[in-house]
Amino acid sequence: MADETNPFFIVQGQLRRAVDNLDLGEGVYNLLKDPMRVIEVAVPVRMDDDRIETFIGYRSQHTDATGPTKGGIRFHPSVSVDEVKGLSMWMTFKTAVMGLPYGGAKGGVICDPQQMSERELEELSRGYIRRLAPMMGPEVDIPAPDVNTSSQIMGWMLDEFDRVRGQHLPGFITGKPLVLGGSEGRNSATGRGVVFTIAAAARRIGLDLKEATAAIQGFGNVGSYTAHYLDQAGTKVVAVEDVRGGAYNPKGLDVPKLLQYVAEHRTVSGFPGSEPIDTKQLFGLDVDILVPAALENQIDEANARLVKAKIIAEAANGPTTPEGDHLLASRGVFIIPDILCNAGGVTVSYFEWVQNTMGYYWPPQEVDRKLRAMMTKAFDTVYKMKQTHQVSMREAAYLVAVHRVAEAAEARGWVHRKRAPEIPSDQLQAMATTMPEAPASAPVANGP
Ligand code: GLU
């Protein structure tokens, strides 16, 4: 993987800039530039043809300064240790920007789930959790769905964890089926949150969503729910694309019919009444809103040059390369950064975990109301930071996030952001003779 597209290096650069802008000092950067724990596992699976295949997986736990680490698990052929490390750091900053009591983590297994049977996938999911169980738990590290992992996979993983521990621990994992303690609104949460942030951005730039057009790259869980909620908001979704192809209709796609079509055909390609479209064409469409909802590094410098949209809503994690980001920012495109834009998923994961802790469950309307309130508040906080410091939305989001994590690290005594200047020993002696006696009850300070 080239350095410019390596998520680990990209997030280190983002951290560096935020630490420098906030003048937090080298200690904070050094503390947060690497994940605190990265685990590699080898998971043997008996395949349907009786062969044993071993899959390599990772779990990166970035920091627990602000709480147990939290983040999804992805199944994908391109998973790598640096990708997982970078994604775990993005999770830290995502939970921090939302003010959730978590640190960040991410897991991944190198596999191609499209080529595996359901039984093979179940065995892989269970094996992965068995390997990691000693390092996980509701107060330690809490997984969730990510690319190519579903609520069914979370169900198998929860069952495996419960078996290993001999206890029912629903708060171990989020995004699980409702019947096992999942939350209402979790499946749709990321897409729902994306559209809340799009609505907030549209208000700021004076765009009426009912008059607006949108294109979405990626049509998995996040892309499809984003299409659904944009359609409900009155926005014309003119193009969508998934790994198998694209569908374009300048008059607007019939989103309910498209969702039905995808449920049957597992792709948007060939949707009746649409023309095919490829990624470059989609990025270059004359639409108001562009939603990258697939993988990292899709909007590089070359693709950024094609963009005509006013708003880019980063539904995926890390969809824009630093070069692409720079170019878009110089052209005044309003980018809703990933750590804010797609934070609806982890926010409802947090609601799920809270409900598991209470053993008391909220109706869908309550989840939705709470999600809207939290997304809008986070958006406003980042926007205010952007205005105050005259920076991009992305930089503003990092300022909010890194400040919070640094504050937690300092409160724990891990770093001293502003160390008192050293006092020469002769002055210290002079002071000792003039200082009043300390009272007997003076508190004793503990060193780090
Ligand atoms: N995988 C999602 C993300 O990247 C959700 C994580 C979670 O719910 O913990 O934000």
Side-chain angles (χ1 to χ4, degrees):
M1 197 183 326
D3 285 5
E4 316 81 70
T5 53
N6 182 326
F8 181 47
F9 295 157
I10 293 174
V11 65
Q12 281 187 333
Q14 289 160 334
L15 172 67
R16 173 86 268 168
R17 270 192 304 284
V19 166
D20 291 350
N21 281 343
L22 292 164
D23 197 19
L24 293 173
E26 216 45 30
V28 171
Y29 178 74
N30 287 336
L31 186 73
L32 298 176
K33 76 179 173 49
D34 297 291
M36 65 175 192
R37 189 183 291 135
V38 182
I39 309 156
E40 179 177 324
V41 293
V43 186
V45 172
R46 185 179 297 279
M47 305 302 277
D48 289 345
D49 61 6
D50 235 25
R51 260 178 324 113
I52 298 283
E53 203 171 309
T54 296
F55 293 88
I56 300 299
Y58 307 97
R59 182 76 178 167
S60 168
Q61 300 167 343
H62 174 231
T63 179
D64 58 359
T66 37
T69 53
K70 179 90 190 83
I73 298 167
R74 62 173 58 180
F75 285 179
H76 199 274
S78 71
V79 162
S80 70
V81 69
D82 273 9
E83 182 192 51
V84 169
K85 280 161 75 172
L87 287 161
S88 72
M89 294 171 70
W90 278 326
M91 283 310 300
T92 294
F93 301 126
K94 191 183 300 184
T95 57
V97 91
M98 295 305 298
L100 306 178
Y102 294 135
K106 190 72 98 187
V109 179
I110 307 169
C111 66
D112 187 353
Q114 261 75 44
Q115 305 300 321
M116 295 172 71
S117 70
E118 183 163 287
R119 194 201 58 77
E120 291 166 346
L121 274 177
E122 176 174 350
E123 212 174 291
L124 176 62
S125 307
R126 289 182 181 277
Y128 176 77
I129 289 304
R130 264 198 315 279
R131 292 277 189 257
L132 288 168
M135 300 290 192
M136 292 187 139
E139 308 295 337
V140 182
D141 179 24
I142 308 148
D146 198 81
V147 175
N148 289 333
T149 51
S150 59
S151 64
Q152 172 60 79
I153 290 179
M154 300 304 108
W156 293 327
M157 289 181 168
L158 173 65
D159 183 64
E160 196 61 34
F161 192 76
D162 282 354
R163 284 190 200 194
V164 171
R165 292 291 168 96
Q167 271 177 291
H168 275 284
L169 292 163
F172 153 68
I173 202 163
T174 58
K176 55 195 171 284
L178 274 184
V179 70
L180 297 181
S183 176
E184 293 285 356
R186 177 62 187 85
N187 268 346
S188 54
T190 311
R192 185 83 175 127
V194 167
V195 177
F196 284 144
T197 64
I198 291 174
R203 271 196 298 279
R204 303 286 176 172
I205 66 163
L207 177 72
D208 181 358
L209 282 190
K210 290 197 174 60
E211 304 287 317
T213 52
I216 304 172
Q217 187 227 7
F219 214 68
N221 170 284
V222 181
S224 51
Y225 276 109
T226 301
H228 168 72
Y229 289 115
L230 278 176
D231 184 54
Q232 284 204 334
T235 299
K236 231 185 252 172
V237 179
V238 298
V240 294
E241 198 209 4
D242 62 26
V243 277
R244 300 206 187 143
Y248 172 56
N249 183 341
K251 295 201 186 78
L253 297 160
D254 183 332
V255 173
K257 283 210 179 109
L258 175 67
L259 293 170
Q260 230 175 336
Y261 179 87
V262 171
E264 282 163 30
H265 297 83
R266 315 219 137 268
T267 177
V268 300
S269 178
F271 177 56
S274 74
E275 302 163 28
I277 189 167
D278 67 22
T279 309
K280 277 203 183 309
Q281 291 167 330
L282 183 140
F283 283 144
L285 285 177
D286 192 5
V287 289
D288 300 301
I289 303 158
L290 185 61
V291 186
L295 292 173
E296 301 93 67
N297 299 315
Q298 300 299 300
I299 309 183
D300 54 12
E301 200 173 351
N303 284 343
R305 275 184 212 290
L306 309 172
V307 169
K308 299 192 183 72
K310 302 182 182 79
I311 295 174
I312 294 185
E314 292 188 336
N317 290 311
T320 313
T321 67
E323 290 77 13
D325 194 38
H326 191 70
L327 198 128
L328 293 167
S330 71
R331 299 225 315 249
V333 179
F334 193 111
I335 301 180
I336 313 169
D338 49 3
I339 59 169
L340 171 66
C341 186
N342 70 37
V346 72
T347 301
V348 177
S349 277
Y350 164 60
F351 297 159
E352 182 173 330
W353 180 77
V354 168
Q355 292 170 84
N356 294 149
T357 309
M358 295 188 295
Y360 177 75
Y361 292 85
W362 305 333
Q365 300 81 346
E366 187 158 354
V367 171
D368 201 57
R369 189 172 49 78
K370 287 184 156 71
L371 176 63
R372 182 194 294 265
M374 286 193 69
M375 294 299 298
T376 311
K377 185 168 165 242
F379 186 98
D380 290 347
T381 306
V382 171
Y383 192 81
K384 203 165 149 203
M385 187 66 103
K386 164 189 159 69
Q387 300 294 82
T388 314
H389 291 263
Q390 292 296 306
V391 290
S392 68
M393 280 295 276
R394 189 184 315 281
E395 282 193 278
Y398 276 90
L399 294 184
V400 173
V402 174
H403 182 264
R404 177 158 186 266
V405 181
E407 227 183 329
E410 191 180 30
R412 286 180 183 276
W414 293 356
V415 276
H416 299 284
R417 278 189 286 170
K418 288 274 177 266
R419 219 177 247 291
E422 294 263 326
I423 303 170
S425 55
D426 53 333
Q427 276 182 35
L428 211 61
Q429 256 171 14
M431 276 162 70
T433 54
T434 53
M435 286 265 271
E437 274 297 284
S441 64
V444 180
N446 284 316

